[in-house]
Amino acid sequence: LAKTTQPISMDSYEGQEVNITCSHNNIATNDYITWYQQFPSQGPRFIIQGYKTKVTNEVASLFIPADRKSSTLSLPRVSLSDTAVYYCLVGDQDSGNTPLVFGKGTRLSVIA
Amino acid sequence: NAGVMQNPRHLVRRRGQEARLRCSPMKGHSHVYWYRQLPEEGLKFMVYLQKENIIDESGMPKERFSAEFPKEGPSILRIQQVVRGDSAAYFCASSPVAGGIYNEQFFGPGTRLTVL
């Protein structure tokens, strides 16, 4: 499994756009990039997944450059409720249902 | 459709007692995963089960820990003779048999185990 590296923590003011970058230099051809969000005292929840270029949903956007060695999760106009830990995961699509490998994630604190 | 349910939400045990954690997956999901999370750490995989089968237990300590997912009823994670180092949040996740977003697992709210 490709190892991921993310900043330990980030601070942002409400209303700003937040970009969290994840490095995965050893990503394999079959690997997808997935981000989970974990609020305090809750289990993680899936927010977005991509393979290359750009993916956007109602929660976030995911930017993946051509070499796929990194990815950036973008949260538009954050609010206090976006305070959470964000995990970047990389895994093999062909492995089917497999255990997730979490790093320490990035702790985002949104300030009023 | 109810989400993944775990109980109890909080569990306090004294050293040497047994802890039994329960997980009911989402309706229609037959894959269950257990993870452990220490404070300020990411989740660590413990065991992956399908109905009546353990698929992968590579993350489970060899002693004192066991898991099952019977044909009927919830999945159970059992910790015998608990020690203070077992204090952690234990999360259960489930996923469907096939289809859906790759790697999307649905997590329960967790059980916070405190060993005195």
Side-chain angles (χ1 to χ4, degrees):
Chain A
L1 295 171
K3 182 179 177 180
T4 60
T5 303
Q6 336 173 203
I8 295 295
S9 64
M10 296 181 69
D11 295 331
S12 176
Y13 288 101
E14 277 191 296
Q16 290 187 328
E17 177 184 79
V18 171
N19 296 307
I20 305 174
T21 297
C22 177
S23 297
H24 27 80
N25 292 317
N26 298 322
I27 190 168
T29 303
N30 287 338
D31 286 344
Y32 271 59
I33 301 152
T34 309
W35 286 78
Y36 277 74
Q37 173 190 54
Q38 185 179 24
F39 295 116
S41 300
Q42 294 186 28
R45 73 170 184 130
F46 172 97
I47 49 175
I48 200 165
Q49 181 185 79
Y51 183 80
K52 61 180 179 181
T53 62
K54 177 184 175 182
V55 180
T56 297
N57 62 22
E58 66 279 5
V59 177
S61 295
L62 179 60
F63 298 91
I64 306 169
D67 67 5
R68 305 200 326 122
K69 293 183 182 300
S70 66
S71 58
T72 299
L73 176 73
S74 180
L75 305 171
R77 298 180 299 281
V78 294
S79 64
L80 295 175
S81 62
D82 292 315
T83 293
V85 179
Y86 292 83
Y87 297 97
C88 166
L89 289 75
V90 174
D92 183 355
Q93 176 194 18
D94 291 341
S95 297
N97 289 302
T98 56
L100 301 177
V101 179
F102 290 85
K104 292 189 176 183
T106 297
R107 187 173 299 275
L108 173 65
S109 297
V110 180
I111 307 164
Chain B
N1 188 5
V4 177
M5 300 177 68
Q6 290 188 249
N7 67 81
R9 293 293 309 274
H10 300 274
L11 182 62
V12 179
R13 286 287 179 266
R14 296 190 180 278
R15 282 180 296 169
Q17 292 184 320
E18 177 180 286
R20 191 171 297 198
L21 289 61
R22 297 175 185 79
C23 169
S24 296
M26 287 183 69
K27 186 176 181 180
H29 288 191
S30 60
H31 299 245
V32 165
Y33 312 79
W34 285 94
Y35 296 84
R36 176 165 62 177
Q37 185 174 36
L38 297 172
E40 308 301 318
E41 298 285 329
L43 284 73
K44 301 299 182 189
F45 165 73
M46 298 181 73
V47 62
Y48 164 32
L49 310 102
Q50 293 179 25
K51 283 287 187 181
E52 300 184 276
N53 291 303
I54 295 175
I55 306 302
D56 181 352
E57 55 182 348
S58 59
M60 193 105 94
K62 296 291 185 244
E63 298 179 351
R64 302 187 299 108
F65 286 72
S66 62
E68 62 177 7
F69 188 15
K71 186 176 181 180
E72 300 292 337
S75 175
I76 306 289
L77 178 67
R78 184 181 292 109
I79 310 172
Q80 296 177 303
Q81 300 175 339
V82 295
V83 300
R84 289 216 174 105
D86 296 332
S87 295
Y90 292 82
F91 291 96
C92 167
S94 72
S95 64
V97 174
I101 299 170
Y102 160 67
N103 253 3
E104 182 174 11
Q105 295 181 10
F106 296 81
F107 284 81
T111 294
R112 276 146 190 85
L113 172 65
T114 301
V115 179
L116 301 178

